Amino acid sequence: MDLPKNNSSNFQYILENYKEICYNVENARAKYAKSGENVQIMAVTKTVEPEKINFAISQGVTLLGENRVQEFISKKDSYDKSAQVHFIGHLQTNKVKYIIQDVSMIQSVDSVKLAEQIDRSAFSHKKIMDVLVEVNVGEEATKSGVSYDKCSELIHEISQLENIRVKGLMAIPPVGCDEGVFEKMHELYLKIGEMNIKGVSMQTLSMGMSGDYELAIKHGSNLVRIGTKLFGARKYFGG
């Protein structure tokens, strides 16, 4: 989707930010990741205007992360459809039906109840929905996510559902936490992968945001979620 030239010049800072993020991600990947393993960069679009998002897509962004159902509904028809969209925010069961057709993955599954609703909605739309299980690795009361200790139990239960495929884990480590929290998450990711649960494949560890994405890559993340570092400080998007 081409943008007017005046918009492109106004959004030049997004391109510069994206170049810096790509450079840092590649350096961290080369230093810490296994040979041949890629690290995906997700553009987190919370409160960002569609014009800026489409400009980022035109510069190479291929994956978007949506936090809020209502905001996504109000913006999705304006998006360049060449980028995939994942839902990464807290998701209520009664809102699943509004996003099931338009996202390729739901990263914030943290209960059997939510998984069952996704399963039902996916069935009604004749699709298999890829999901990540969100882990509250820092045990923070203000954050959603299954507890670290109950994660494998939840995955075993979800694995029985016919229209969901668990593809990995997602986490938001506490701001300023030590590296041990990141490594704890990586160890859980590897442990569950070794369980060989039917229908479950640990392909994606979604961990790391604007302030800690390089540290997250050091500890095994292969999908980082970048918002502020790419688009600048957030402003309210109405709708």
Side-chain angles (χ1 to χ4, degrees), residues 197-212:
I197 304 169
K198 185 178 179 181
V200 174
S201 56
M202 289 291 107
Q203 297 178 0
T204 301
L205 177 55
S206 174
M207 179 172 68
M209 299 189 294
S210 290
D212 58 15

Side-chain angles (χ1 to χ4, degrees), residues 20 83 96 123 129 166 179 193 211:
E20 180 181 352
V96 172
F123 175 77
M129 178 55 70
V166 178
E179 291 191 39

